[in-house]
Amino acid sequence: MSLIAGTIIFTRNEQSYFLVTDEVPEPKFYTVKMHKHDGDTALGSLVSGMQDELGINMDNLRFGELAAWHTQGLDSPEDLVSLYTFEPVDSENLNLDRLSLLGLQFVNAKDVVDFLKNVDMTGVMQLD
């Protein structure tokens, strides 16, 4: 079983916002578990979680990029989690109230700079 992470990114008034958990002291990306023995794929597991658990209309999202997220910081190579990014077609169609009830929120990138430094675009791991 592997963890798969995902976030939604949108820009408003020249500021970028990321969907993250509202955990303190540092947020985390939304994650789901991929059960290889059930025939799950990483992207399929994430899409199912975003639809079923978060109630997100996937028709309103476009796949962005695949990256690697170091859950313990860039110095730890054994904590890599695949991170999928999505961009909304219309950010106004995101149900912010529902996401908030589920412990998720959109945060301004400038407010989580240290957290975002744990995303490694060069270290994308191969999915099997």
Side-chain angles (χ1 to χ4, degrees):
M1 179 174 13
S2 300
L3 275 182
I4 308 300
T7 190
I8 300 171
I9 304 168
F10 70 87
T11 302
R12 184 177 291 154
N13 299 324
E14 298 184 24
Q15 298 289 315
S16 293
Y17 295 86
F18 290 79
L19 179 67
V20 296
T21 64
D22 57 9
E23 294 181 41
V24 176
E26 188 169 87
K28 295 182 176 8
F29 291 113
Y30 170 71
T31 59
V32 296
K33 293 179 181 174
M34 181 180 82
H35 302 276
K36 293 180 185 178
H37 60 275
D38 288 340
D40 290 355
T41 64
L43 183 56
S45 298
L46 184 61
V47 167
S48 293
M50 292 176 98
Q51 281 179 320
D52 300 341
E53 183 181 344
L54 304 183
I56 292 176
N57 177 359
M58 296 305 290
D59 290 335
N60 186 42
L61 296 183
R62 298 297 174 257
F63 179 67
E65 296 180 323
L66 173 63
W69 171 40
H70 293 264
T71 60
Q72 304 300 314
L74 289 175
D75 296 331
S76 179
E78 54 275 340
D79 67 338
L80 281 178
V81 174
S82 296
L83 172 66
Y84 290 86
T85 66
F86 299 88
E87 297 174 19
V89 174
D90 183 357
S91 61
E92 297 297 322
N93 286 338
L94 297 169
N95 188 336
L96 302 182
D97 292 332
R98 177 182 169 97
L99 292 172
S100 178
L101 289 173
L102 295 170
L104 294 159
Q105 64 182 335
F106 282 93
V107 295
N108 193 310
K110 69 179 181 165
D111 296 329
V112 289
V113 170
D114 288 338
F115 168 69
L116 293 175
K117 288 180 182 176
N118 292 335
V119 175
D120 183 1
M121 298 302 291
T122 63
V124 176
M125 53 197 275
Q126 182 177 2
L127 301 174
D128 53 336

